[in-house]
Amino acid sequence: MRALVLDDIRSTPVVRDVPTPVAPPGGVVVQVLATGLCRSDWHAWAGHDEIAFPHVPGHELAGVVSRVGEGVRRWQVGDRVTVPFVCGCGTCEWCLAGDAQVCPDQQQPGFTHWGSFAEQVALHAADANLVAIPDGVDFATAASLGCRFATAYRALAGRARIAAGEWVAVVGAGGVGLSAVMIARALGARPIAIDRNPAALELALRLGAEHAILADGRDIPAEVAAITGGGSHVAVDAVGSEQTASDAVLSLRRRGRHVQIGLLPPVDGHPRVPMSRVIAWELDLLGSHGMAAADYPGMLALIASGALQPQLLVERTVGLEEAAALLPGFDRSTVAGITMIDPRLSAAGGAAAGAR
Ligand SMILES: [Zn+2]
Ligand SMILES: [Zn+2]
């Protein structure tokens, strides 16, 4: 099969033929029909994760089951499926409590094993982790759920527990930030989008942001305080840097809740966080790490009803070769919206038969 391969840290990604994966016991192989290009893939390329090279990245995927491993009960060849980027073991106390996103024995396609920037991908503990894609939801929409959209949903609904009418300051209007804007609006909250890219802010306003603040060196917390009358109830760092985390925390009103979504890899050093403000204003600092398959039904119901439209986040679809060219510069790219990969698209950019 064709796959996007990383031969070493920061090597030029290449598309080449590799062995087709076999289904592990309890797992399946999925034919990949859509897979999102995410900042986490860039972290993998840059060597911020413990990864064995050569490696195939890709963790936001949807497709059709093509092989079924020994012992799988719930799935068969041909089923339309997606999967959270954190696949739990299915048997530990956290998995049994519905919190597979923090499973100590978790697998992550594209990190702990070869991922979905390929024609086929192996997935573990299929009965515990696979999610059926409802009729009427296409593969690109479903793929966008696995990491950024589901993470934003859980961050706001599950971790910050946002209420209607609350202000939600979202620092970073990339895939996860735009998802947070859309979800906050759908849940009746009042999102404010903050980004350095004017095009991303325009998209955020179309997706439901009440205000947009251009991060061009201005005092972000002061601007948020002026808009909200003293600070936001909830803030999200959807980028992952000392500056954006600090801006988010300092944008909160007293007793506000901060959710950290953007990755802050140890290789960059531990970020300084304004803890004096956290103490004096009794702020809550919350982490969010994806969403378990068990929590998908609530989100899928909102998508089926049309209240949430993650497909609006997908701005472009590319083939594996174009994705290989985009990956090394992804940390500084200024494209708005989510880039989706269809492994069936040829190097020349010609569209293969569409199953979307
Ligand atoms: Zn991702
Ligand atoms: Zn587990």
Side-chain angles (χ1 to χ4, degrees):
M1 67 167 185
R2 293 167 68 243
L4 186 162
V5 181
L6 307 178
D7 283 306
D8 207 343
I9 292 173
R10 293 183 181 263
S11 65
T12 301
V14 293
V15 177
R16 66 167 182 253
D17 283 328
V18 299
T20 300
V22 296
V28 298
V29 174
V30 168
Q31 181 195 1
V32 181
L33 298 176
T35 178
L37 184 59
C38 173
R39 192 178 164 88
S40 301
D41 300 310
W42 177 84
H43 281 294
W45 171 83
H48 297 166
D49 302 281
E50 285 183 23
I51 280 173
F53 292 92
H55 179 68
V56 175
H59 59 280
E60 310 182 351
L61 68 114
V64 172
V65 174
S66 58
R67 287 188 185 81
V68 177
E70 199 184 317
V72 174
R73 287 172 288 112
R74 292 180 54 212
W75 305 101
Q76 42 197 326
V77 170
D79 285 344
R80 303 166 75 244
V81 295
T82 186
V83 70
F85 79 90
V86 178
C87 293
C89 70
T91 58
C92 73
E93 68 174 279
W94 291 275
C95 283
L96 294 177
D99 288 321
Q101 77 279 0
V102 294
C103 171
D105 296 318
Q106 64 189 250
Q107 299 277 353
Q108 296 184 14
F111 299 98
T112 61
H113 61 96
W114 283 15
S116 54
F117 291 175
E119 291 176 312
Q120 309 273 340
V121 63
L123 299 171
H124 295 268
D127 285 335
N129 294 298
L130 262 54
V131 176
I133 302 173
D135 292 341
V137 175
D138 65 28
F139 290 108
T141 302
S144 70
L145 304 180
C147 169
R148 288 170 284 186
F149 200 83
T151 297
Y153 182 84
R154 178 165 163 76
L156 295 180
R159 300 294 281 138
R161 298 175 183 272
I162 60 171
E166 287 191 318
W167 289 104
V168 178
V170 180
V171 182
V176 76
L178 291 169
S179 299
V181 164
M182 179 186 284
I183 291 158
R185 182 61 172 256
L187 297 177
R190 308 180 70 183
I192 301 168
I194 298 138
D195 201 279
R196 61 188 174 172
N197 175 10
L201 290 179
E202 276 173 36
L203 185 52
L205 289 167
R206 288 209 299 279
L207 295 173
E210 260 188 58
H211 297 269
I213 303 172
L214 186 64
D216 57 358
R218 70 185 75 191
D219 185 340
I220 301 296
E223 300 249 342
V224 173
I227 290 169
T228 58
S232 188
H233 299 88
V234 171
V236 174
D237 174 13
V239 179
S241 73
E242 185 170 286
Q243 179 72 49
T244 51
S246 173
D247 280 346
V249 169
L250 295 176
S251 293
L252 288 169
R253 67 176 57 210
R254 290 159 199 269
R255 306 219 63 208
R257 294 101 76 197
H258 169 79
V259 193
Q260 186 65 39
I261 297 176
L263 299 176
L264 291 161
V267 68
D268 291 338
H270 289 295
R272 286 170 297 176
V273 178
M275 292 302 285
S276 55
R277 176 68 66 87
V278 173
I279 296 162
W281 286 17
E282 288 201 348
L283 306 178
D284 290 342
L285 299 187
L286 303 165
S288 193
H289 191 232
M291 186 166 88
D295 286 337
Y296 270 56
M299 179 176 72
L300 288 172
L302 288 170
I303 291 167
S305 76
L308 289 174
Q309 298 180 286
Q311 64 273 24
L312 297 179
L313 300 168
V314 179
E315 286 283 292
R316 66 196 70 74
T317 302
V318 302
L320 289 171
E321 283 81 3
E322 200 175 337
L326 289 172
L327 182 56
F330 201 73
D331 64 319
R332 3 171 253 283
S333 74
T334 53
V335 296
I338 286 180
T339 299
M340 196 58 66
I341 300 166
D342 184 340
R344 295 165 298 172
L345 294 179
S346 74
R356 300 174 56 214

